[in-house]
Amino acid sequence: MAVAFLDVDVDAVHQAILTHEREIGLIDVKIQGLMQSVRRLQFQKDLHNAEIRKCKGKITLASRLPPEILAYIFELCVLDGRTRTPLIVSHVCSSWRIAATTPTVWSHVYINLDSRYPCQRTQLWLRNSRQTLLTIEIEINADTSQLKSTVEVLLAEIWRWKTLILKSSSLDPVNQVLRLCDSPASHLRSIEISVSQEFLSAMDGLDDNPHDLMGLHALSAKAPLFQTLRIHRSLVPGRHSLPPSITDLTLQLTDHDAPTILHSMSSVLRLLGELPNLEVLALEMPSRENQSFLLDAQNGHQSLNFDGGP
């Protein structure tokens, strides 16, 4: 069957299509021009917003504080445990960056040996603290591979040490640090030692414990101002382990795996007898467990219980 096509001017239709396509092309050109104008306007808007933020920043209290006040606030942040404060505040604004250059802001040198590049971090803090006195805090956990090299970096500035804080999961690294401190520490006043894990039986800590603090006597001989000592352990320090120059002693007997920890009362009395200059003694107990002290009577041990609860 033959199909009859409608009589349509095909050439005219093609011409109409070309005309519309040309118009669309012209419209696209105009759109591109308008989009470029929008982008330029958006860029100008962003510039103005940035200037507005700068203007607002100039009238905020934080930016109007004197640098010495800002520096003091930054120091408090560091003491509160925010050890990266000097680095963070340096990126806030120019006034904070100026305040962060104050040497005392960098005077708390915190080193976690499990973190990356402890030596480089230590060098940065020592350099920025310039000549100010230092609080040295070393946290030692699983990785001790860089302990010696990091301590050697610190020892170059031992004459600036004011406070030494050693926090370790075991006692051996603490003793290693103390033995390395063989140079004069003319400004060292205070040492704090914390040992979190000590797997000894109760009776091992009564007096002559072979796993006790070593090196405090030698360090004390080179630190004439060293008089304050704080120890956080599960055991009372052993015989002759503390230097007689101590005037302020804090013993914090930490939590232990055993439900009851036995301590010798005579070991505490012996400790007091070895510290003739002692003026202040603080003995702290864990808050969750009873503590038993042996009185060491001649005919067998008698016990005295201290309740560490609130």
Side-chain angles (χ1 to χ4, degrees):
M1 181 179 64
V3 178
F5 291 96
L6 297 175
D7 188 12
V8 177
D9 189 345
V10 176
D11 292 336
V13 172
H14 283 300
Q15 187 62 39
I17 291 174
L18 290 174
T19 300
H20 289 299
E21 288 178 343
R22 283 195 297 269
E23 291 298 325
I24 290 174
L26 294 174
I27 292 172
D28 284 339
V29 171
K30 291 180 180 179
I31 290 175
Q32 290 178 2
L34 291 173
M35 292 298 293
Q36 290 178 355
S37 298
V38 169
R39 285 193 290 269
R40 284 194 295 268
L41 291 172
Q42 185 63 51
F43 177 72
Q44 294 175 7
K45 178 183 175 181
D46 292 341
L47 290 178
H48 287 296
N49 280 329
E51 292 300 320
I52 289 173
R53 287 193 295 270
K54 288 182 181 179
C55 291
K56 288 182 177 180
K58 292 178 180 179
I59 60 176
T60 60
L61 177 61
S63 63
R64 292 161 56 196
L65 287 173
E68 57 271 17
I69 300 298
L70 283 172
Y72 178 67
I73 294 173
F74 298 159
E75 290 175 40
L76 294 179
C77 291
V78 174
L79 293 176
D80 196 42
R82 297 173 175 85
T83 58
R84 297 184 70 251
T85 294
L87 294 179
I88 295 173
V89 300
S90 297
H91 293 83
V92 174
C93 62
S94 59
S95 60
W96 285 34
R97 188 159 46 250
I98 293 171
T101 62
T102 305
T104 52
V105 176
W106 300 82
S107 63
H108 190 114
V109 185
Y110 171 78
I111 305 110
N112 186 338
L113 291 177
D114 283 349
S115 64
R116 294 191 303 171
Y117 314 122
C119 280
Q120 291 86 334
R121 176 190 172 103
T122 301
Q123 290 169 342
L124 173 65
W125 253 252
L126 292 178
R127 183 168 59 251
N128 289 337
S129 62
R130 301 177 195 172
Q131 303 297 312
T132 191
L133 298 182
L134 302 172
T135 294
I136 306 296
E137 181 175 352
I138 307 176
E139 186 167 341
I140 312 165
N141 294 302
D143 187 2
T144 59
S145 59
Q146 299 193 65
L147 174 60
K148 187 174 185 294
S149 58
T150 302
V151 172
E152 287 175 347
V153 171
L154 290 168
L155 287 175
E157 303 291 334
I158 191 173
W159 63 273
R160 291 201 284 141
W161 293 12
K162 179 180 65 175
T163 301
L164 174 62
I165 303 172
L166 300 175
K167 298 180 179 179
S168 177
S169 57
S170 60
L171 183 63
D172 287 344
V174 172
N175 284 332
Q176 183 179 351
V177 173
L178 294 176
R179 284 193 293 266
L180 288 171
C181 298
D182 57 357
S183 300
S186 56
H187 291 96
L188 182 62
R189 293 172 170 82
S190 173
I191 295 179
E192 179 178 333
I193 296 172
S194 177
V195 181
S196 59
Q197 299 177 15
E198 295 186 277
F199 302 102
L200 301 173
S201 65
M203 298 301 293
D204 285 337
L206 293 185
D207 252 333
D208 296 318
N209 176 17
H211 306 286
D212 217 322
L213 290 168
M214 306 291 179
L216 280 175
H217 279 276
L219 178 56
S220 174
K222 297 180 180 296
L225 300 181
F226 170 42
Q227 295 181 337
T228 300
L229 178 62
R230 291 175 172 81
I231 299 176
H232 307 262
R233 298 180 63 192
S234 58
L235 300 173
V236 176
R239 187 182 301 275
H240 305 305
S241 60
L242 305 186
S245 60
I246 298 300
T247 62
D248 186 342
L249 175 64
T250 297
L251 296 178
Q252 185 180 51
L253 302 177
T254 57
D255 289 339
H256 196 273
D257 291 336
T260 300
I261 309 171
L262 297 178
H263 298 288
S264 169
M265 181 60 73
S266 66
S267 66
V268 177
L269 297 176
R270 178 265 309 154
L271 185 66
L272 298 180
E274 294 176 357
L275 302 174
N277 298 307
L278 190 65
E279 299 174 359
V280 179
L281 172 66
L283 185 61
E284 302 179 12
M285 306 290 184
S287 60
R288 297 191 300 272
E289 299 173 353
N290 290 336
Q291 300 292 308
S292 291
F293 277 85
L294 298 179
L295 296 182
D296 299 323
Q298 289 183 349
N299 298 323
H301 294 299
Q302 299 180 12
S303 65
L304 176 64
N305 291 330
F306 286 80
D307 187 355

